[in-house]
Amino acid sequence: MTNGVIVEQNPGVHRSSWWRRWGEETVVAYLFLAPSMIILLAFAFFPVVFSIAASFTRWNLPYRPVWTGLTNYLYLFTNEVGWPAFRQAITNTVYFTLGSVPLNMAISLLLALLLNQKLKGVGLFRTAYFLPTITSTVAMSVVWMWLYHPSNYGLFNSVLLKIGLPTERWLRDPLLAMPSLILMGIWHGMGYNIIIFLAGLQNVPVQLYEAARIDGAGTWAQFRKITWPLISPTTFYVLVIGVINAMQAFAQMHVMTQGGPLGRTTTIVYMLYHEAFESFAMGRASALACFLFVILLVLTLIQFRLAGSQVHYE
Amino acid sequence: MRVSRTHGFRQTSGAVIVVWVVVALLAAACGGPAEPTPTTAPPAQVQPTVAASTQAQPTQAPTGVPAATSAPAVKPDHVTLDFWYSLGGNSGQVVEELVKLFNESQSYITVVPTYQGGYAEIMAKTWNAIFAEQTLPQVAQLGGAPLVGATGACVPITDFTDGPNGIDRSKIYDAFWDYNKAEGTIWCMPFNNSMPVLYYNKDLFAKAGLPTEQGPETWDDVISYGQELTRGDQWGFNTHDDTHWYLSTMILENGGQIINQEETECLYNSPEAVEMLQLWGDMVNDYEIMPPAQHKEAGTDFLAGVLGMFFRSSSTLPSLVRDAPFELGVGMVPAVEGKDRVAPIGGGSLVIFKNSNPYILEAAWEFVKFMTSEASSLYLSTHTGYLPLYKSSLEWPEMQAYLEQNPLVRAPLEQLQYAYAIPVFPSLGTSDSALRQAVEAVELGASDPQAALDQAKKIVDQDLITQAQNKQ
C-alpha cells in the first residue's frame, strides 16, 4: 500500500527493470529507516568515531586537539602517574562487576521464582521489588548516604548499636566502601532482573512441569532439569547486560564517594569523568573510553563463546 | 565517549530505547537532520534603527575593545543579552532578582538569565562553546573565570573599568582583582566571593567550659578546644569536603605557596606545606579530634550537634543560621601561631565575551557594572553568604543595620582584610584533586605527609607540562 502511495507521488520516475526488481522496495525501506538511522549516525556512530580519533590527540579544552599518536595510551599504561591510577581503576571496576553481577543474578532469580507463584498479593510484591529500579541513581545514592552515614546516628549504625554491635564507617572505610556500593547496586538493579527472569519463567511450558511431577521429580529436580535449561537465554541476557552495566558504574561513585577513600571506588568511568571534566583532558578521557569499549567488546565475545554453548534456544 | 558514558547512567537498556524512540519521533516531526547545527549567528538581537532613545544610555564605546570593521555604525534601539550563571538554590534566586532589578531600571537592555549548572558544568559548557565556536552568551558568571580570559574568548575587564564609563577600581579589595588575573591581565569582574570561616557550636562550647564569644584564634587553640569538645560520639573539629581549600589556607598562613611565580612548578611539597599536612594528620590520628575521611558528612554532623568546630565556606552561613538547632558562632580563619591570618577567596566572577558589535559590549558592561555596584554588592551580601566587594562595606549604614540584626556576619566581613587570591592557573582542577587525595591518604594513615605531598606535586607538575604543550 505504501509502495502505491510513493509511486503515485512520483509518476515521472523511470522504471527500469533494476528499479522494479529491488530498487523501489529498498528505497522505501531506507526511507522508513532514515529517521532512526540519522539519529544513530549523529548521536551514536559519529561520537564513537570522533572519540576514537580524539583518543590519539592531546586535547585539553578549550585548546584545539593535536595529533600525538599513542601518547594517551602510553600515559595510561606506562606513565608513573597514569598507570597506578589506571591500574587501580581497572581493579576497582573488576571488583565491582564480579561483586555485584553474580550475586545480583542469584538473588534476582530466587526472588523471581518466589514471585512466579500464584499467591495472593503477588502483584504488590512484584511492584515493590521493581520500585528501586525506577528510582534515579542519584536520588537513591543520596538516601543511601544516610543509611551509610558513619556517625552513630546513621541508619545502619544506629541499628548496629541497638543490637550491641560496633559501628562501621561504611563508605568512608577504604575496605568497606566498595562492598557498600555493591550492596546498594544489588538492591537497585534487582527489580529489572526480576522482571526479565519472570518473563523467562513464564515462558516455560507448564506441561513440562506436569510431566515431571507425574514422573516423580521433586522441586529441585524440576528446577535443575527444566527451569534452569529453559530460562538459559534469559540468564545469559541478564548476565551480558549486567556485566556491561556494572563495568560502566559511575553515578553512585560520583555522588557518594568521589572515587575515594584512597581511590578505592574510582572505576574506569569515574576516572574518565575526572580526566574529562575536572582536568579537561579530552584526549586522555577518550582513550579511557576506547579502552573500556574494547574490553566490553572482548568480554561480551568471550561470554558468547563460553556461555553460548550452554544456552538452550527453543 | 559520550555515548558510553550516558549509557552507563542507565540501568536498563529499555530506558535507552525509549529515549531513542522519543528522539527519533522528535526528529521525524521536525523533518530535519538530527545533528545540532552549530549556529554562527550573533546571539544578541539587535535592531539597528536610527531612533534616538530617551533613555539614559551609555554614549561612548569602551576603548580598547577589539573594533570590528563590520560593526554597525548605528546605535540599536534595544539590546538583548544572554547571561549564563552558575549559582543554584537561594543564591540563584538572588542573582535572578538582581537581573530583574537591572531590567526594570532601564528599557534599553534586556538581560535573559539562564542557569547552566554548577561551576564544573558551566565551565564544561563554556569550554565546549569556545572550542566548537558555538553560541556563547554575552555575559557569564563563572568560577575559575580568568582561565576563560587567557583563551582569548573574552575582553579584559580593565578595558571597561578603566574606560570612560568605568569605575574606581581602588574601592574594591585588591585580592578580588588578583583573583581575576591570569597571565598578568585582569580578565573578569569579581562578583560572588567567599572565604573559609570557622563555624562553632556555642552550646557545645559552653558545655565544655570554653569561651563562647569568640572562636579559636590559632590552630593550637583549635587543637586544645577540640580535645575539650571530643567525647563519646562527638568530634571537636572537621572541614567540609573541599579539603584542598582548607589545607591551602593553612599552607598559605604558614608562608607556603601553591605554585611558583612562573606557574611552571607546584610547591605542594615545601616544608611549610608538609608541616601543615602533618598538623592536619595529627588532628586525626594523634589528637583524635577529627574523624578520618568524613568530610562529606561533616555538615550533617555539625547540624546534628555532634561536631564542635566546622571549617567551611562563608557562603554556607545563611543556611547554617536557618538550620542549626543550637546557638551558632562564627569565627575567623584560625592563624598559625605567631603569623598572620590568610583567607584565600573562592567564588565566581562575571566575564564579558568578545563581540564584534561595540554596542553589545557596551551594554554588557552596563549590566556588569550594575551587578557589581555598591548597591548590588550590598544586596548580594545581605541576601546570600557571599561577601561585599567594597573596602567601605563595613561603613555602609545599611550594612551596619544589617550587622545589628545579623551579628554573625561580622566575622567574615572583618576577615576581608586578610583576603588573599590563590593564583588561577590551568591545572587548578588537577591540583585541587591531587591535594584532596594527599589529605585523605594522610588521614587514613596510608601515607606520611611528605610522601603524600611529593605525589601531589608529581601529579600537578605532570599536568603543568601538558598545559604548557597546549599553549604552544
Side-chain angles (χ1 to χ4, degrees):
Chain A
M1 188 193 85
T2 323
N3 283 3
V5 173
I6 298 284
V7 171
E8 214 74 77
Q9 283 175 340
N10 302 288
V13 171
H14 172 70
R15 287 176 205 145
S16 69
S17 56
W18 167 84
W19 174 252
R20 193 165 301 164
R21 216 171 300 147
W22 65 270
E24 194 175 318
E25 289 190 352
T26 313
V27 169
V28 170
Y30 275 111
L31 277 176
F32 275 102
L33 284 175
S36 46
M37 259 177 61
I38 289 166
I39 304 275
L40 267 173
L41 285 174
F43 290 112
F45 296 120
F46 170 72
V48 167
V49 173
F50 189 84
S51 183
I52 293 171
S55 73
F56 298 107
T57 66
R58 183 186 64 238
W59 179 21
N60 286 45
L61 279 176
Y63 302 101
R64 311 231 143 243
V66 181
W67 282 102
T68 50
L70 289 170
T71 311
N72 290 323
Y73 294 95
L74 288 175
Y75 172 84
L76 290 179
F77 285 103
T78 62
N79 185 284
E80 57 171 346
V81 171
W83 169 238
F86 186 44
R87 189 184 49 202
Q88 193 180 27
I90 296 172
T91 315
N92 291 338
T93 309
V94 171
Y95 184 3
F96 183 78
T97 308
L98 288 184
S100 59
V101 176
L103 208 55
N104 193 347
M105 287 176 66
I107 296 175
S108 305
L109 180 56
L110 191 71
L111 286 170
L113 286 167
L114 293 176
L115 292 174
N116 197 31
Q117 291 166 36
K118 289 190 178 64
L119 293 171
K120 256 194 188 158
V122 77
L124 192 74
F125 280 105
R126 287 181 188 171
T127 315
Y129 283 115
F130 196 63
L131 274 178
T133 302
I134 53 167
T135 313
S136 102
T137 312
V138 173
M140 174 194 74
S141 301
V142 172
V143 172
W144 276 72
M145 275 177 71
W146 279 103
L147 302 182
Y148 283 140
H149 201 295
S151 293
N152 286 353
Y153 60 89
L155 258 99
F156 286 163
N157 275 350
S158 55
V159 170
L160 285 178
L161 277 175
K162 277 242 168 69
I163 55 175
L165 290 172
T167 59
E168 290 294 345
R169 299 186 42 76
W170 304 109
L171 297 165
R172 309 299 163 223
D173 180 331
L175 292 176
L176 265 186
M178 192 56 106
S180 303
L181 290 179
I182 289 172
L183 182 68
M184 183 188 86
I186 290 172
W187 175 82
H188 185 228
M190 218 167 55
Y192 176 73
N193 287 351
I194 291 176
I195 293 290
I196 304 288
F197 271 127
L198 264 177
L201 288 173
Q202 299 195 339
N203 273 340
V204 180
V206 192
Q207 310 91 286
L208 295 179
Y209 292 115
E210 282 168 7
R213 268 198 298 275
I214 291 165
D215 290 345
T219 316
W220 172 246
Q222 284 181 37
F223 174 78
R224 186 69 200 84
K225 300 288 179 192
I226 300 170
T227 315
W228 182 250
L230 283 184
I231 62 160
S232 57
T234 312
T235 315
F236 183 52
Y237 169 81
V238 168
L239 173 73
V240 173
I241 295 294
V243 167
I244 290 175
N245 277 335
M247 297 281 288
Q248 296 180 53
F250 166 76
Q252 56 270 56
M253 287 78 184
H254 182 45
V255 177
M256 301 172 83
T257 62
Q258 268 93 49
L262 303 180
R264 295 290 171 83
T265 59
T266 302
T267 52
I268 294 176
V269 181
Y270 189 80
M271 184 179 174
L272 188 161
Y273 166 82
H274 168 73
E275 292 291 350
F277 299 106
E278 284 180 2
S279 299
F280 291 108
M282 295 299 161
R284 216 176 266 168
S286 298
L288 276 166
C290 290
F291 173 82
L292 186 61
F293 171 71
V294 171
I295 291 297
L296 282 177
L297 192 70
V298 170
L299 270 181
T300 309
L301 287 176
I302 291 174
Q303 290 178 83
F304 267 93
R305 263 286 163 74
L306 290 182
S309 56
Q310 304 291 315
V311 173
H312 170 91
Y313 291 102
E314 277 182 88
Chain B
M1 184 198 75
R2 250 191 69 211
V3 169
S4 57
R5 265 199 62 236
T6 45
H7 199 85
F9 292 148
R10 320 216 173 270
Q11 281 295 310
T12 68
S13 48
V16 177
I17 292 165
V18 171
V19 171
W20 282 110
V21 170
V22 170
V23 176
L25 287 173
L26 281 175
C30 298
E35 181 149 18
T37 43
T39 46
T40 48
Q45 302 149 15
V46 185
Q47 301 127 18
T49 27
V50 205
S53 172
T54 50
Q55 297 291 325
Q57 293 166 9
T59 46
Q60 206 176 346
T63 54
V65 164
T69 43
S70 62
V74 185
K75 189 179 176 76
D77 261 0
H78 183 259
V79 177
T80 304
L81 299 174
D82 285 322
F83 171 52
W84 287 4
Y85 70 95
S86 51
L87 293 180
N90 168 57
S91 304
Q93 282 168 14
V94 173
V95 171
E96 294 261 353
E97 192 57 39
L98 279 172
V99 171
K100 212 174 118 201
L101 286 173
F102 174 73
N103 285 338
E104 284 164 359
S105 73
Q106 42 77 50
S107 62
Y108 170 62
I109 305 160
T110 305
V111 176
V112 183
T114 325
Y115 176 65
Q116 295 286 356
Y119 287 155
E121 207 176 323
I122 197 172
M123 203 55 154
K125 283 179 184 172
T126 307
W127 281 156
N128 261 319
I130 293 173
F131 169 75
E133 286 165 14
Q134 281 172 351
T135 312
L136 279 164
Q138 285 72 52
V139 183
Q141 177 258 336
L142 307 164
L147 294 177
V148 176
T151 66
C154 68
V155 186
I157 205 73
T158 43
D159 282 9
F160 303 102
T161 57
D162 303 357
N165 185 28
I167 56 163
D168 181 1
R169 277 203 281 127
S170 68
K171 283 184 168 178
I172 290 176
Y173 284 101
D174 294 341
F176 290 136
W177 295 116
D178 291 344
Y179 187 63
N180 288 292
K181 237 182 227 173
E183 296 170 0
T185 306
I186 301 170
W187 291 99
C188 22
M189 192 71 188
F191 177 62
N192 63 300
N193 292 280
S194 54
M195 298 182 294
V197 288
L198 196 95
Y199 300 99
Y200 61 97
N201 182 327
K202 283 189 181 174
D203 295 358
L204 293 186
F205 266 50
K207 234 180 267 171
L210 296 168
T212 55
E213 278 322 297
Q214 225 178 345
E217 286 287 308
T218 63
W219 288 105
D220 288 351
D221 289 347
V222 169
I223 291 169
S224 63
Y225 286 20
Q227 285 172 315
E228 295 297 320
L229 291 160
T230 305
R231 57 187 65 167
D233 64 343
Q234 181 179 310
W235 294 99
F237 174 77
N238 206 347
T239 77
H240 188 54
D241 67 353
D242 42 348
T243 51
H244 61 273
W245 199 21
Y246 311 113
L247 182 58
S248 296
T249 306
M250 296 167 74
I251 294 173
L252 292 164
E253 288 187 315
N254 201 29
Q257 286 297 326
I258 307 302
I259 192 169
N260 66 350
Q261 279 279 302
E262 299 76 32
E263 299 185 355
T264 51
E265 196 195 347
C266 171
L267 302 177
Y268 275 158
N269 63 346
S270 69
E272 293 86 359
V274 174
E275 195 186 339
M276 287 296 109
L277 184 53
Q278 179 72 51
L279 180 72
W280 185 299
D282 287 348
M283 288 199 271
V284 175
N285 296 311
D286 246 29
Y287 304 111
E288 295 182 346
I289 60 169
M290 169 157 67
Q294 195 172 312
H295 302 288
K296 232 177 152 54
E297 284 88 3
T300 52
D301 280 348
F302 188 60
L303 288 176
V306 294
L307 175 62
M309 293 175 281
F310 182 34
F311 202 23
R312 194 179 178 176
S313 166
S314 60
S315 63
T316 320
L317 183 52
S319 67
L320 285 180
V321 167
R322 191 188 59 219
D323 297 336
F326 48 81
E327 207 186 329
L328 182 70
V330 183
M332 284 197 242
V333 168
V336 172
E337 200 70 59
K339 293 182 181 171
D340 265 347
R341 299 173 205 271
V342 178
I345 51 179
S349 312
L350 301 175
V351 297
I352 297 179
F353 290 103
K354 276 187 180 159
N355 200 299
S356 59
N357 187 333
Y359 292 109
I360 289 176
L361 289 175
E362 197 177 82
W365 166 242
E366 201 60 36
F367 171 59
V368 169
K369 194 174 156 187
F370 176 92
M371 293 293 276
T372 54
S373 69
E374 293 197 7
S376 299
S377 195
L378 175 76
Y379 188 85
L380 185 75
S381 55
T382 51
H383 287 80
T384 68
Y386 292 107
L387 301 162
L389 306 170
Y390 292 87
K391 291 174 186 168
S392 58
S393 53
L394 270 170
E395 291 145 32
W396 298 340
E398 300 91 334
M399 186 60 92
Q400 283 172 349
Y402 179 72
L403 287 178
E404 209 57 45
Q405 298 289 313
N406 305 275
L408 291 178
V409 184
R410 190 170 284 279
L413 254 55
E414 282 177 350
Q415 190 177 286
L416 270 169
Q417 56 182 309
Y418 305 108
Y420 178 87
I422 292 176
V424 177
F425 56 102
S427 300
L428 210 53
T430 308
S431 150
D432 290 348
S433 83
L435 197 57
R436 283 197 298 271
Q437 283 173 21
V439 168
E440 201 172 64
V442 169
E443 287 186 0
L444 292 166
S447 179
D448 65 83
Q450 182 72 53
L453 288 171
D454 283 344
Q455 173 68 12
K457 174 197 159 64
K458 201 193 278 178
I459 293 171
V460 181
D461 283 352
Q462 178 100 42
D463 201 64
L464 286 170
I465 293 169
T466 317
Q467 295 292 352
Q469 286 169 339
N470 275 315
K471 286 216 172 145
Q472 285 158 13

